[in-house]
Structures are given as structure tokens and as C-alpha cells.
Amino acid sequence: MSLAFTVLGSSGSFPVPDRACSGYLVEADGTKVWVDAGPGTLANLQRHVAPEALDGIVLSHAHPDHWADVMSYFVVVSHFRPRQGVPVWSPARVRTLVAEVHPNLAPTFEWTEVTDSSVVKVGALTFTFSRTDHPVETLAMRIEGGGSVLGYSADTGPGWSLTELGPGIDCALVEASFTRAQEREGLHLSGRQAAITARAAGAARLVLTHLQPGLDPEVLRAEAAEAFGGPVELAVENERYVV
Ligand SMILES: [Zn+2]
Ligand SMILES: [Zn+2]
């Protein structure tokens, strides 16, 4: 009985050597869901689970740093590790883009479009969503399972609040793309802003992710810790976090 996530990638916007883009393997009571499939995350996914054994895939938005590897995953389960009917949930635009490459998504994928008001139940996990402050339809996620709650910001600017995911968040996984000096509207958060929104939501714990290449993550962490009023963790590739 526990909720946990393994970081498959934590690099913001593009992958760098040793760091894939956004992706997480979320698990509770034997249910395994791949949340966001940024470039490089399929490689890391295979360290932790047989690709055909996933219970589902949930994608937050249509920026390719959050879904590009689902196109390669389609090839894996079509030809190499056969599996049909893999459940996928995403905003409509992601499905459209993937279907440009793989026109016959079914029967390999059983794809369902989700919006701000959707509820997705997959095994021991329940997902609800909140549209964030980001240029395309982007869904933050409240993920419940094993008696715990994970709040994932996906990508967002400071015009959205983690409080939109409701109370009782045990762990907040929040994007931190900028230093305080780089803060601006409508795109991404700084570490400091990630901490402010996590604190407003009453999150017990804060893990920073979507760390922008070229920035020292320790600077983001220090700026976040000051605003959070306590220790802040960084998302480390292939580490497992028990919520
Ligand atoms: Zn992103
Ligand atoms: Zn984005």
C-alpha cells in the first residue's frame, strides 16, 4: 500500500547527456503508469518495467518534450514486445500529432482524450486534472493511490496554482525552469514560484523537476527552499520517490 514514482527524466524543454526530458513511472499496489513520455524516457522506462507490462500512459500536453517517446513506444509494442490495447490518455492535440506518424493508433493504443474535468481510473491509481497557465492545453494531475496523493504541475506559468489540485497533497512534483532573475508570465515557473505554489497548496513535500539545461539545479533548489520554508528535493533520474 504505497504510492511511488520513479523519475525517468527531469530535463526541461530538451534532453541533455545523462538527463532525459519529462517522464515518470507512477506506481501503486502493482499498477504502473507512465506519466509524460519526453525524449529519452523510453530508454529509462525499460530499466524499471517491461514495456509491454504498463497499465497505461498519461500525457500532460502537446509540447514534444512531454510525449515524443510515445511514438517509439508504439513501435516497441507493435513489433518487438507485442501488446494491444495499451490505454493512453491525453489532451486532444497530442493524439492528433501522434496519429500523423502512426495513423492506425488502434488496436495497439486505446486512446482516450481528456480535459480539465476528466477522471481517469487505472488499477489502483486515480487521476484528476487541472488546466495550467501554459501556451497549449496542459493538464496538471492529482494522482491518488495507496492512500497517498501526488500533485504534478506538468508545465505551467505562475498564473495557475497547485491549490487547483485540491487538498491533502503529500508530495508536489513541480516544474522549476527558471531562476528568480528569469521569472516571467505565462510559460514556466522559477524554483521560488514552484515553492510558493506548493506551499499554498499545503504540500508536505516538494520535488523540483523540468530543470532547464544550463542552469545550476542547486541554485533553483536554494531559491525554492527559502520560499518553501523547508527542505526541497530535486528530481534525480532513475531514483524512486515513495510518496
Ligand atoms: Zn516542458
Ligand atoms: Zn510545455
Side-chain angles (χ1 to χ4, degrees):
M1 282 284 286
S2 66
L3 177 64
F5 66 95
T6 300
V7 176
L8 305 177
S10 62
S11 184
S13 302
F14 65 95
V16 290
D18 304 321
R19 230 152 39 85
C21 282
S22 294
Y24 313 91
L25 178 63
V26 180
E27 301 170 74
D29 298 335
T31 300
K32 296 175 191 292
V33 175
W34 185 10
V35 174
D36 275 349
T41 56
L42 175 59
N44 283 330
L45 178 79
Q46 293 167 79
R47 300 177 195 270
H48 307 286
V49 62
E52 71 276 18
L54 281 178
D55 293 292
I57 301 171
V58 183
L59 304 169
S60 66
H61 70 297
H63 286 155
D65 59 315
H66 294 255
W67 62 267
D69 270 12
V70 84
M71 293 191 291
S72 297
Y73 179 82
F74 182 92
V75 175
V76 174
V77 289
S78 294
H79 301 296
F80 297 94
R81 309 285 294 254
R83 164 88 187 273
Q84 291 194 338
V86 178
V88 184
W89 293 272
S90 80
R93 180 76 182 141
V94 186
R95 180 185 191 165
T96 302
L97 291 169
V98 175
E100 285 289 320
V101 177
H102 301 300
N104 299 312
L105 291 175
T108 304
F109 287 163
E110 190 179 292
W111 200 302
T112 306
E113 294 173 5
V114 293
T115 65
D116 184 83
S117 59
S118 299
V119 178
V120 169
K121 290 181 187 290
V122 49
L125 295 169
T126 301
F127 292 75
T128 50
F129 304 94
S130 172
R131 169 133 196 203
T132 71
D133 173 27
H134 202 56
V136 299
E137 182 185 13
T138 302
L139 299 176
M141 305 174 198
R142 176 186 175 94
I143 307 172
E144 299 186 42
S148 299
V149 181
L150 171 65
Y152 171 45
S153 68
D155 284 4
T156 187
W160 175 84
S161 169
L162 199 74
T163 58
E164 298 293 329
L165 294 179
I169 292 174
D170 296 292
C171 180
L173 177 62
V174 182
E175 73 125 292
S177 304
F178 299 144
T179 63
R180 181 170 190 169
Q182 296 169 318
E183 287 177 2
R184 62 184 124 135
E185 297 300 309
L187 190 63
H188 291 298
L189 299 174
S190 67
R192 186 185 79 91
Q193 291 168 322
I196 289 169
T197 197
R199 189 170 175 170
R205 184 177 170 197
L206 172 59
V207 179
L208 300 180
T209 190
H210 204 276
L211 307 164
Q212 211 69 21
L215 294 179
D216 180 355
E218 291 301 336
V219 170
L220 300 178
R221 193 218 300 254
E223 291 181 348
E226 191 180 339
F228 194 56
V232 171
E233 296 160 80
L234 297 173
V236 176
E237 203 147 303
N238 294 306
E239 283 204 5
R240 190 170 187 267
Y241 298 73
V242 177
V243 175

